[in-house]
Amino acid sequence: LKTPILLIKELEDKLAQNKRGRIIFIGSVYGKTGSAVESVYSALKAGQEIFAKSYAKEVATRKITVNTIAPGAIDTQMNSHFTFDEKRQLIEEIPAARLGKPSDVAHVTAFLAHKNSDYITGSTITVDGGWS
């Protein structure tokens, strides 16, 4: 949590010069729901989400937006350790009946980075197929 805050502090003036700065955090659904086996990770992601919401209010007049994307289970290397049965069981919990794709998260990122998204700030967009 500390590193992104320190980076943003150094970059805030540069982002404001552009008249449409964008800060987009990649959070997690666990920041909203928590996870029994990922309590520290969940707490970190919850803190990141609240920081983004608060910081968005501080820099809105500088034309900087701050948002968070909260992915659910995405089919990436991070989840490659799941066995076939574990993955099947996870997919059964997701209403969309599949794991997300990296492109699902990339699409939302591009949307938030677009110049026409300047009125969206302090928000968290969940990309989880209805899981959380």
Side-chain angles (χ1 to χ4, degrees):
L1 187 58
K2 184 178 178 181
T3 301
I5 292 170
L6 293 174
L7 284 170
I8 289 168
K9 181 180 177 186
E10 294 297 318
L11 295 172
E12 182 180 325
D13 288 339
K14 183 137 180 93
L15 288 168
Q17 287 174 1
N18 292 333
K19 302 276 193 263
R20 66 172 209 97
R22 300 286 188 264
I23 298 170
I24 303 168
F25 286 97
I26 303 298
S28 171
V29 294
Y30 288 162
K32 291 181 168 303
T33 64
S35 173
V37 296
E38 300 283 350
S39 58
V40 173
Y41 178 78
S42 298
L44 174 67
K45 293 303 183 177
Q48 184 183 60
E49 189 174 321
I50 274 305
F51 170 76
K53 183 176 259 332
S54 299
Y55 190 62
K57 293 176 182 182
E58 291 180 24
V59 296
T61 59
R62 300 192 79 189
K63 309 287 189 241
I64 299 171
T65 65
V66 186
N67 293 290
T68 304
I69 300 170
I74 305 297
D75 195 13
T76 63
Q77 186 67 29
M78 185 175 112
N79 295 320
S80 66
H81 68 283
F82 287 130
T83 66
F84 176 80
D85 286 337
E86 289 170 332
K87 196 178 273 192
R88 183 180 50 77
Q89 186 177 14
L90 177 60
I91 291 170
E92 286 175 2
E93 296 176 21
I94 301 170
R98 69 173 177 87
L99 295 179
K101 299 176 288 198
S103 60
D104 295 324
V105 177
H107 176 73
V108 175
T109 305
F111 167 74
L112 290 173
H114 193 275
K115 66 180 181 178
N116 291 339
S117 293
D118 63 343
Y119 199 62
I120 301 168
T121 193
S123 296
T124 297
I125 299 176
T126 304
V127 181
D128 70 352
W131 186 35
S132 62

